[in-house]
Amino acid sequence: MATTDVAEQGPPPLAEVIERIGFGWAQLRVVLLGGCVWLADGSELLLIGTVTRAVSDEWGMRAWQRGSTVSIVFLGILLGNGICGPVGDRYGRRLPILVSYLGIAVFSILSAFTQNFYQLAAVRLFVGASFGIGQPAINALSSEVCPAYWRIMMNALTQTLFIFGELYRRSCMVGRSDDAPLGLALAASDGLHSVGRLPGFLVALAA
């Protein structure tokens, strides 16, 4: 009779299973592989100012153009954040994160090939949107795959990568902030880092 009752109840809820399993390497893989959206964003925050200063004189940019080059990235993040919620709820958290990595890769690399302010602004808008699509998804995923007690710590670990992104980019820019080709090359390198994260993230989520 007891066996019949258990069978009728069906499998336990996923949240209950996660609570029983506890915190471990699986959660850390999500932080390290998915959370690099935040690492790239931290790198971008310092990079875009450097790129703007580097190309300003070469392209003859006005003050409003210099300001817009920075601001338009945050406009893109706003747009990406708005898109992420409906997409993540409908298709799951993995798709927005993968789209984020792919977008950061493609549009960051395209930044290195821009020839004027309008091209750079357009491309950086899509870079910002790529960040915006991935950030809410990884925050939600970090909370959903770990026990309730660890949720704050998971989000803290994920967003700590933002700081490491800033430190990494700062170490690349020491003494070279006025080099326009270098600035655009560093923008492209963000994209290459994102490409490198895609296979590992796919494997981690499939495991």
Side-chain angles (χ1 to χ4, degrees), residues 30 33-34 94 97-98 101 141 197-206:
V30 172
L33 297 173
R94 178 171 62 175
I97 296 172
L98 293 176
Y101 276 136
L141 183 64
R197 287 292 176 181
L198 278 171
F201 183 71
L202 286 169
V203 171
L205 289 183

Side-chain angles (χ1 to χ4, degrees), residues 6-96:
V6 172
E8 290 177 353
Q9 290 176 1
L14 179 60
E16 183 178 328
V17 173
I18 292 174
E19 291 292 335
R20 292 177 183 174
I21 295 174
F23 186 88
W25 175 239
Q27 286 78 17
L28 291 176
R29 284 194 301 177
V30 172
V31 170
L32 294 174
L33 297 173
C36 284
V37 172
W38 283 104
L39 186 145
D41 190 20
S43 177
E44 165 72 19
L45 187 65
L46 291 184
L47 174 65
I48 190 60
T50 302
V51 171
T52 301
R53 289 192 299 271
V55 302
S56 177
D57 294 335
E58 185 174 327
W59 290 352
M61 293 170 60
R62 300 176 180 177
W64 71 268
Q65 291 175 321
R66 292 194 297 270
S68 298
T69 303
V70 177
S71 300
I72 201 165
V73 176
F74 295 99
L75 176 60
I77 292 174
L78 175 64
L79 295 174
N81 285 167
I83 294 170
C84 179
V87 172
D89 289 342
R90 183 174 180 83
Y91 299 104
R93 313 304 181 198
R94 178 171 62 175
L95 179 61

Side-chain angles (χ1 to χ4, degrees), residues 100-115:
S100 177
Y101 276 136
L102 184 61
I104 294 169
V106 171
F107 294 113
S108 293
I109 292 171
L110 285 178
S111 296
F113 297 94
T114 55
Q115 301 295 318

